Amino acid sequence: MAWPWSGPSDDGVPRRFVQEELKKLTHDPSACGTVEDALLSRLEKRSANVRLKTLRVIKMLLSAGGPQFKRDLQRRLPPIRECLHFRGDPHPTMGDLPSKMVRECAQEVINAIFETEVTPALVPVPRSSARR
């Protein structure tokens, strides 16, 4: 499946309408697996640019997509974990920077996968012991 990226000079996040469609797909249990498969297969590419863009999309979907997407990625972590050790060919002008960006983004994605939000309703409110 080809993803319509906004261009080679962008920051790696798909166009707004594609973001919205991907978010909707992650809320659909039958389509969520297809999205995961497509994204994880892109992490097997050798290009640092492709991996970085894919990791950024995964990170965006973890914060705004369906909860099933996050649960499934917790079980399918190895391709993302491999990106922590990614060493691509050095860029002619940027050197190892693209590979370093992939490694940093992979760490951010892993942190986002296992992040748990504490809702204010679940936090106990301390009671004052001095009642008058």
Side-chain angles (χ1 to χ4, degrees):
M1 172 184 276
W3 299 101
W5 303 108
S6 47
S9 63
D10 66 322
D11 64 352
V13 179
R15 296 182 193 134
R16 188 74 165 155
F17 76 93
V18 176
Q19 287 181 15
E20 296 304 320
E21 289 301 314
L22 288 173
K23 289 176 192 175
K24 287 179 191 175
L25 287 173
T26 60
H27 287 282
D28 179 15
S30 61
C32 188
T34 305
V35 172
E36 292 165 17
D37 291 340
L39 290 171
L40 293 177
S41 71
R42 293 185 65 80
L43 288 179
E44 296 172 6
K45 304 287 184 185
R46 189 71 191 138
S47 169
N49 194 30
V50 171
R51 287 182 184 219
L52 183 60
K53 286 182 178 186
T54 304
L55 288 167
R56 287 180 176 165
V57 170
I58 291 172
K59 185 177 168 189
M60 181 262 310
L61 290 174
L62 286 169
S63 64
Q68 181 69 34
F69 182 76
K70 190 173 192 175
R71 280 191 299 269
D72 289 348
L73 281 183
Q74 288 176 347
R75 293 184 201 106
R76 300 177 72 183
L77 201 58
I80 299 169
R81 193 169 279 149
E82 287 175 13
C83 290
L84 289 172
H85 309 291
F86 177 71
R87 293 266 182 208
D89 297 330
H91 189 273
T93 57
M94 294 190 286
D96 190 47
L97 183 63
S99 296
K100 181 181 177 193
M101 291 171 66
V102 169
R103 292 189 299 268
E104 290 172 353
C105 194
Q107 185 60 55
E108 292 172 8
V109 168
I110 289 173
N111 291 343
I113 288 173
F114 293 106
E115 180 180 90
T116 56
E117 295 181 16
V118 177
T119 58
L122 298 177
V123 177
V125 178
R127 291 188 173 190
S128 175
S129 60
R131 285 189 144 166
R132 295 179 194 191

